[in-house]
Amino acid sequence: MAMISVSALRGGSRFSFSNPCPIPRLTPGSPLGNKRLRNVAKRFTLFAQYSQAQSQSIFSSRLQDSLENLPKLVEDIVQTSLNTGPRGPLRLAQGIQAVIGVGGEWLQDASRSPNSSSGLPVDMRLGILSPVYLRRLFERMGATYIKLGQFVASAPTLFPPEYVEEFQKCFDRAPPVPFQEIQEILRQELGRPIESVYEYVDPTPLASASIAQVHAARLKGSQEDVVIKVLKPGIADVLVADLNFIYIVARILEFLSPEVSRASLVGIVQDIRASMLEEVDFTKEAANIESFRRYLMAMGLTRQATAPKVYHHCSSRRVLTMERLYGVPLTDLNSISSFVSDPEASLITALNVWFGSLLACESFHADVHAGNLWLLRDGRIGFLDFGIVGRISPKTWEAMEVFLASIATEEYDSMASALIEMGATNKDVDTKSFARDLEKIFSSIQELDTELVVATARDPSTNATAVSANVVLDERQMNALFLDVVRVSESYGLRFPREFALLLKQLLYFDRYTRLLAPNMNMLQDQRISIVSNRRNR
């Protein structure tokens, strides 16, 4: 078989065409030679035309798809802009102001950074898109972006680890709204004078966050002590405007880049939107509380734990009136010792109630930090603030149980199998290799630094001393450990549901309480703690 090879004039690339027929010697100028050369030239022309046609076909196909999707994109943008209303331009101006402010901070920090041959430090090279400055920008932008930052912190399977770690520091705090504005909201939502519902409302808030603030009050007639959670004025409009803007940006990015479309960016934004809008609809939180209270009653746990009763006659989308519970966080050692003789037993109760809710309740409490998990004066465990809840399927929890058990027993093959079962993947995973990588990660748990910090305060009037304590872990190490698990899992093609991160976050909270109240107890192996499968068997 003869080959004709022609080298391109530029770049030295070589194109080869095989010819099944023997080729006689070509004599330049002869009729046969000229004919053969014309045939070769014709083949090159056909090849070039085919290549050009293929490129045009691919480009035309993408262009056609884009043109077909363009009307839908424009319709989405117009409709979303109309739904946003007049709040949109105002939020845009506030956003520009926030960007200028954080940009100024970045410039100041950049001017102070020591000059080096490699230029700016790595954590500053992306400007205000660097993790630290983006977190500061989110905090300046207010409620929506603070909540978005908290979502980033709780979703390591969706966002880069350096951003997940930085947004752990995203604080939800805000100055209180004047009490006159709170009164006006109460009048609007109750539809009658405040004095006809409440005996009094304390004008000084118990707490103030970006979305709502809480006031102590007493009901008229029954004289029951309650707390009123009030949505701050205009916050719902701000959320809608911000989330609509984020949605439009995501739609445009997906339109311009097929790679972004494959990452389901719009789907992620829609999930965030649904989650945030649930938090500003207090009827949803009321339903979460009622669901948890029904779970406690059905399981016969009302003497061990409780959640605040909801007073529906004075609650709405923007106002939530609840029973006031009196107690202390699980980190207040002095008060806990005066309430119960065995703090370890109280912790075990809290663990059993929470573990039981994972499947026996419609949703589980997904924010059990010390401010939301109390020991009450009557010795019961109080679960507060059901604004953030999670829902988990039985299949995911079964895999999670195996995962937790394998952490306690250091059985890494089982751990790998559980993570494979839990994660979504479209390819085969080498379980043995995955297990070896997990073992390398979890061997670092023994190296985590922990420190018990005890604080005391003396009351000048009574000369009494209050003692509180907390377990301080190296947060960077703990976050790095968790992110290592996610990173290694992703290298094997695994993607976990967001509930996986929510569950692990709560387990880390309980691990801190265990180190403080029951330092000799193994939370995952103690027979007094009923993991769901044990209770299901009984």
Side-chain angles (χ1 to χ4, degrees):
M1 180 180 292
M3 299 287 293
I4 299 178
S5 299
V6 182
S7 295
L9 294 178
R10 293 185 180 179
S13 300
R14 183 175 296 275
F15 299 93
S16 299
F17 302 91
S18 59
N19 188 342
C21 302
I23 300 177
R25 184 183 299 274
L26 300 180
T27 305
S30 68
L32 182 59
N34 291 337
K35 182 179 180 181
R36 290 290 185 186
L37 289 174
R38 283 196 300 271
N39 286 339
V40 171
K42 185 177 181 181
R43 290 189 184 188
F44 269 112
T45 302
L46 290 174
F47 175 76
Q49 290 175 344
Y50 174 78
S51 300
Q52 184 178 13
Q54 285 291 96
S55 300
Q56 289 176 344
S57 175
I58 295 172
F59 176 77
S60 299
S61 176
R62 289 185 178 178
L63 181 60
Q64 184 177 356
D65 289 342
S66 297
L67 291 176
E68 288 176 356
N69 293 327
L70 184 59
K72 177 62 177 173
L73 173 65
V74 174
E75 181 185 347
D76 266 3
I77 292 175
V78 171
Q79 188 61 51
T80 304
S81 301
L82 291 174
N83 293 339
T84 301
R87 177 70 68 170
L90 175 61
R91 287 298 288 163
L92 179 61
Q94 292 171 339
I96 293 172
Q97 185 178 9
V99 168
I100 292 173
V102 175
E105 292 178 10
W106 179 86
L107 286 173
Q108 286 183 348
D109 293 344
S111 64
R112 293 194 208 103
S113 64
N115 294 325
S116 65
S117 57
S118 58
L120 289 172
V122 175
D123 59 353
M124 294 185 65
R125 290 178 187 173
L126 292 178
I128 63 170
L129 295 181
S130 301
V132 172
Y133 299 96
L134 191 61
R135 190 255 304 163
R136 291 181 188 175
L137 177 62
F138 277 26
E139 289 178 341
R140 279 183 179 238
M141 289 291 290
T144 309
Y145 292 88
I146 288 172
K147 293 296 180 185
L148 182 59
Q150 292 172 341
F151 182 89
V152 171
S154 67
T157 61
L158 299 177
F159 301 98
E162 56 271 19
Y163 287 87
V164 172
E165 185 173 338
E166 181 61 36
F167 278 94
Q168 303 281 346
K169 308 169 188 173
C170 200
F171 297 115
D172 189 0
R173 59 187 178 214
V177 170
F179 185 58
Q180 291 77 8
E181 296 184 36
I182 296 298
Q183 288 178 308
E184 182 59 31
I185 293 174
L186 288 174
R187 292 190 193 98
Q188 293 174 3
E189 294 299 305
L190 297 174
R192 52 192 184 278
I194 298 174
E195 298 78 15
S196 67
V197 179
Y198 305 105
E199 186 74 28
Y200 83 93
V201 178
D202 190 344
T204 303
L206 293 173
S208 176
S210 58
I211 283 179
Q213 67 187 51
V214 178
H215 289 260
R218 179 171 294 158
L219 288 179
K220 195 174 185 67
S222 67
Q223 298 294 301
E224 293 172 278
D225 288 347
V226 296
V227 292
I228 312 171
K229 186 175 181 179
V230 183
L231 189 69
K232 289 186 173 180
I235 202 68
D237 292 338
V238 169
L239 274 176
V240 169
D242 290 348
L243 292 170
N244 284 348
F245 172 74
I246 294 170
Y247 173 77
I248 288 174
V249 171
R251 285 285 284 116
I252 292 173
L253 288 175
E254 280 203 353
F255 177 78
L256 296 175
S257 173
E259 288 73 18
V260 174
S261 179
R262 284 193 287 272
S264 302
L265 180 60
V266 168
I268 294 171
V269 169
Q270 288 174 330
D271 287 344
I272 295 173
R273 186 178 187 276
S275 175
M276 287 189 185
L277 292 181
E278 272 198 13
E279 285 194 55
V280 296
D281 182 355
F282 291 161
T283 61
K284 299 287 180 63
E285 183 172 352
N288 294 335
I289 296 172
E290 294 291 353
S291 173
F292 190 79
R293 286 173 61 86
R294 287 195 300 271
Y295 151 71
L296 292 177
M297 291 185 65
M299 302 299 292
L301 296 170
T302 54
R303 291 186 178 183
Q304 287 79 44
T306 190
K309 175 185 175 182
V310 176
Y311 296 89
H312 292 281
H313 72 281
C314 46
S315 296
S316 66
R317 287 177 62 91
R318 296 200 294 164
V319 173
L320 181 58
T321 303
M322 300 169 286
E323 169 190 10
R324 184 172 185 182
L325 301 178
Y326 290 93
V328 295
L330 290 185
T331 54
D332 189 341
L333 292 181
N334 188 60
S335 298
I336 287 175
S337 299
S338 67
F339 289 169
V340 294
S341 59
D342 187 2
E344 182 175 305
S346 297
L347 176 61
I348 290 171
T349 297
L351 281 163
N352 282 331
V353 170
W354 184 80
F355 273 124
S357 70
L358 294 177
L359 284 186
C361 188
E362 295 171 17
S363 58
F364 64 89
H365 197 301
D367 196 19
V368 291
H369 62 72
N372 291 340
L373 190 63
W374 284 11
L375 179 66
L376 305 182
R377 290 176 181 174
D378 59 10
R380 293 184 298 171
I381 297 296
F383 287 82
L384 311 177
D385 193 347
F386 284 75
I388 302 176
V389 297
R391 296 171 180 85
I392 188 168
S393 68
K395 178 183 177 182
T396 300
W397 174 243
E398 286 174 9
M400 189 72 182
E401 283 184 281
V402 176
F403 172 73
L404 296 177
S406 62
I407 292 177
T409 58
E410 299 182 5
E411 296 176 359
Y412 298 104
D413 287 340
S414 297
M415 187 186 299
S417 298
L419 290 174
I420 292 169
E421 179 69 21
M422 200 184 314
T425 183
N426 56 3
K427 65 180 184 180
D428 294 332
V429 179
D430 185 342
T431 307
K432 293 293 184 184
S433 176
F434 188 25
R436 287 193 295 272
D437 288 340
L438 290 172
E439 183 175 4
K440 294 175 185 175
I441 294 171
F442 278 87
S443 61
S444 64
I445 286 182
Q446 306 301 326
E447 301 170 8
L448 288 178
D449 298 325
T450 61
E451 180 183 1
L452 180 64
V453 177
V454 179
T456 61
R458 185 177 297 277
D459 187 339
S461 60
T462 62
N463 207 32
T465 301
V467 180
S468 65
N470 205 351
V471 175
V472 178
L473 290 85
D474 188 329
E475 293 287 344
R476 300 179 73 87
Q477 284 181 293
M478 187 63 77
N479 290 332
L481 176 71
F482 177 47
L483 292 172
D484 280 344
V485 174
V486 173
R487 191 181 299 111
V488 168
S489 300
E490 287 183 344
S491 71
Y492 287 89
L494 296 173
R495 292 279 180 177
F496 299 122
R498 181 170 176 249
E499 283 68 28
F500 174 70
L502 283 176
L503 283 170
L504 283 190
K505 184 177 179 181
Q506 310 321 305
L507 290 172
L508 289 177
Y509 282 133
F510 279 116
D511 180 65
R512 292 168 189 174
Y513 303 145
T514 301
R515 292 169 187 255
L516 178 62
L517 300 176
N520 297 321
M521 184 180 77
N522 187 319
M523 182 176 69
L524 300 178
Q525 287 186 313
D526 197 293
Q527 294 300 309
R528 296 169 295 175
I529 299 172
S530 299
I531 306 297
V532 175
S533 60
N534 297 335
R535 192 183 62 259
R536 188 190 304 125
N537 291 337
R538 290 202 299 270

